[in-house]
Amino acid sequence: MKKVFLSLFIVVYLALSHHSVTTAIDCDGNLPDDEAQLKEYIAACETKVSELRTEKQSLTAAISLLNSKINLTQAQIRNTNAQISQLTEEIGTLSVVIDDLNNELDALTKVYLSRVREAYKNRHTNIALSLLSDSEQNFQSRLKYLETTHKRDQIIMHELESARINFDQQKTTKEEKQAEIESLKTTLESQKQVLGAQESQKQQLLTETQNNEKRYQQMLSDAQRQLAAFRRFVTDQGGASILSNQTSCDSWGCYYNQRDSQWGNQLIGLSSDSTMKEYGCLVTSMAIIASHYGKSLTPGQIAASSDPFWLNTAYMRQGQWTVNGVTMNRTRLGSSRSLIDSELESNRPVVVGIYGGPDHFIVIKSKVDGEYIMNDPFIENGKDVKFTDKYPLEAISAVDRVVVN
């Protein structure tokens, strides 16, 4: 009976032990220190992020997705730091090895040079002694000595060459690891920026929705409606092909085109399917306005940031955002042309939306002889074009003031 009980105890113990060892690591915010477990944690977070992206869009799902992204980025940061620490330790060890090899190389070089000098001084003497030896036995001894000396010199030369090769290899390895650290530091900085953007995005979402599902659904609807309007405009124009050499700058500022090859195929914000050439009219209009105020901020740089956009969409929020140290604040004034005139009289170009969505955004920069002059970011060479040459005045549906700091 005791044996049966003992056997059952062992089976249960082993089963529990196996369960504890093989328990899956969850993406729950508790970062493991162990390298292998950290990799499992990163994989778990990547899987969770992928799964959450396919769930029905809701505030709860959006927050869970952001939390998982934050957990993933934090794990990646820890992993990068661990790699940097490991490489730093390896470089320290290599430095010691290289110093030892350098000392060995110096010592062998001194020995070799000493042998060369000795051989040079004795070269005639050795020959003479060999020829003048008083006996065959002395001659053979001298010859054997010379052969031994030559072999020793060869050994020293071989050791010297081996030491040199080893020294060069270790030095190259150290330089490669140093370059890898610099690359990892760049990656780390990028990861920290991503983490900051994700945390800011989460806080912004909670603030804007006030943790209210109804408000979230309304904002989601607004984003979807605006992006559909952009798509409708592009379709009506016959599509969005890539253009070249569109950027043009003068004393007023710069004209940019959303379809320019520099950024036309670039995705906007954290979106997975919204490219600049199709959805980038507002992004490009904001860059045009920034240039008027002397700021160096391209459409591609704005699109590369997540700060101006709502969650993982290409929908640019009203209000304030900052990219590359440039802060922009866009406010909807209304839709009246008198608002455009008022802003232009105050030397403030405006971002104007046209058609119902608005379907498209352009920049009206001035009014000459009763005609609005615009920079249109979609049409080819759309700089300084009369608004009415392309669109009817009745198409104006939104007037936005943009403040740049």
Side-chain angles (χ1 to χ4, degrees):
M1 186 65 182
K2 287 183 179 180
K3 289 183 178 180
V4 173
F5 178 78
L6 182 59
S7 298
L8 287 172
F9 175 79
I10 292 173
V11 169
V12 171
Y13 175 79
L14 290 174
L16 290 173
S17 298
H18 177 72
H19 176 74
S20 63
V21 170
T22 58
T23 298
I25 294 177
D26 191 25
C27 179
D28 56 4
N30 296 316
L31 295 179
D33 293 318
D34 179 75
E35 180 181 352
Q37 290 183 339
L38 184 60
K39 289 180 179 179
E40 288 183 36
Y41 182 90
I42 289 173
C45 287
E46 289 173 339
T47 300
K48 192 169 184 179
V49 167
S50 179
E51 291 173 348
L52 287 169
R53 279 177 173 155
T54 63
E55 287 191 4
K56 181 180 178 180
Q57 291 184 312
S58 66
L59 180 58
T60 300
I63 292 174
S64 295
L65 178 59
L66 283 171
N67 283 335
S68 296
K69 285 182 175 180
I70 289 170
N71 292 342
L72 173 59
T73 306
Q74 288 175 333
Q76 290 171 333
I77 288 173
R78 176 168 289 189
N79 186 51
T80 303
N81 275 321
Q83 291 180 64
I84 291 173
S85 296
Q86 178 64 31
L87 284 169
T88 301
E89 185 177 334
E90 291 174 3
I91 287 173
T93 301
L94 278 170
S95 296
V96 174
V97 171
I98 289 171
D99 286 343
D100 290 343
L101 285 171
N102 191 43
N103 293 333
E104 180 184 353
L105 198 56
D106 287 343
L108 285 170
T109 301
K110 289 177 182 178
V111 170
Y112 179 70
L113 291 175
S114 175
R115 297 290 301 165
V116 169
R117 285 193 295 269
E118 181 182 348
Y120 180 79
K121 286 189 295 185
N122 296 333
R123 70 190 189 285
H124 296 302
T125 305
N126 290 334
I127 295 173
L129 287 173
S130 297
L131 294 173
L132 298 173
S133 296
D134 55 0
S135 69
E136 178 67 20
Q137 183 177 0
N138 287 339
F139 176 79
Q140 291 297 332
S141 297
R142 173 59 63 180
L143 186 61
K144 186 174 182 181
Y145 169 77
L146 291 174
E147 289 175 350
T148 302
T149 302
H150 179 65
K151 288 180 181 179
R152 184 181 176 190
D153 289 345
Q154 285 183 319
I155 292 171
I156 293 174
M157 287 181 64
H158 177 73
E159 290 178 350
L160 182 61
E161 180 64 12
S162 296
R164 185 192 63 76
I165 292 172
N166 196 7
F167 176 83
D168 289 344
Q169 289 175 339
Q170 297 299 330
K171 187 177 179 182
T172 298
T173 300
K174 179 182 176 180
E175 290 171 351
E176 289 173 349
K177 289 182 182 295
Q178 287 173 328
E180 192 175 347
I181 280 184
E182 292 306 312
S183 177
L184 285 170
K185 285 181 178 178
T186 300
T187 299
L188 181 62
E189 186 60 32
S190 176
Q191 290 170 338
K192 287 180 178 179
Q193 290 176 359
V194 169
L195 179 61
Q198 290 169 338
E199 291 174 336
S200 175
Q201 199 173 39
K202 177 184 175 182
Q203 185 56 48
Q204 176 189 316
L205 177 63
L206 292 172
T207 300
E208 289 177 342
T209 63
Q210 297 177 5
N211 208 23
N212 183 290
E213 180 65 32
K214 187 176 181 180
R215 287 176 65 87
Y216 170 83
Q217 291 298 332
Q218 180 60 53
M219 295 179 71
L220 177 62
S221 176
D222 291 344
Q224 292 171 335
R225 184 168 56 250
Q226 178 62 85
L227 296 174
F230 286 159
R231 184 61 191 164
R232 181 169 62 243
F233 175 83
V234 170
T235 300
D236 290 345
Q237 300 301 308
S241 59
I242 291 295
L243 304 173
S244 299
N245 304 318
Q246 292 295 297
T247 300
S248 175
C249 300
D250 54 28
S251 59
W252 184 90
C254 292
Y255 167 75
Y256 299 116
N257 193 294
Q258 69 190 80
R259 296 193 283 153
D260 195 293
S261 57
Q262 296 179 82
W263 43 70
N265 288 317
Q266 181 178 336
L267 291 172
I268 299 174
L270 299 175
S271 64
S272 59
D273 57 2
S274 300
T275 59
M276 280 290 296
K277 65 182 180 182
E278 295 177 319
Y279 299 90
C281 59
L282 182 53
V283 172
T284 309
S285 294
M286 294 295 279
I288 291 172
I289 293 286
S291 75
H292 174 67
Y293 292 102
K295 304 297 183 181
S296 179
L297 185 65
T298 68
Q301 289 171 330
I302 296 175
S305 173
S306 61
D307 194 42
F309 309 102
W310 192 71
L311 293 182
N312 59 339
T313 74
Y315 176 57
M316 183 179 286
R317 301 178 287 103
Q318 289 277 345
Q320 180 174 296
W321 48 261
T322 300
V323 174
N324 286 16
V326 179
T327 299
M328 306 191 74
N329 194 326
R330 182 170 64 97
T331 306
R332 180 65 45 85
L333 300 178
S335 59
S336 170
R337 294 199 293 274
S338 64
L339 294 170
I340 300 176
D341 296 337
S342 177
E343 291 296 298
L344 293 178
E345 287 171 5
S346 299
N347 296 316
R348 289 192 295 264
V350 289
V351 172
V352 171
I354 58 174
Y355 303 122
D359 293 15
H360 182 50
F361 284 94
I362 54 94
V363 173
I364 291 184
K365 55 192 297 190
S366 62
K367 191 174 186 179
V368 179
D369 298 329
E371 291 281 357
Y372 291 126
I373 305 301
M374 69 172 179
N375 279 353
D376 189 329
F378 185 83
I379 64 175
E380 186 171 6
N381 299 316
K383 179 182 179 181
D384 295 340
V385 177
K386 288 183 180 180
F387 182 85
T388 52
D389 284 352
K390 185 66 179 175
Y391 312 109
L393 289 173
E394 294 73 22
I396 295 173
S397 59
V399 179
D400 291 350
R401 173 188 291 162
V402 180
V403 177
V404 182
N405 293 303

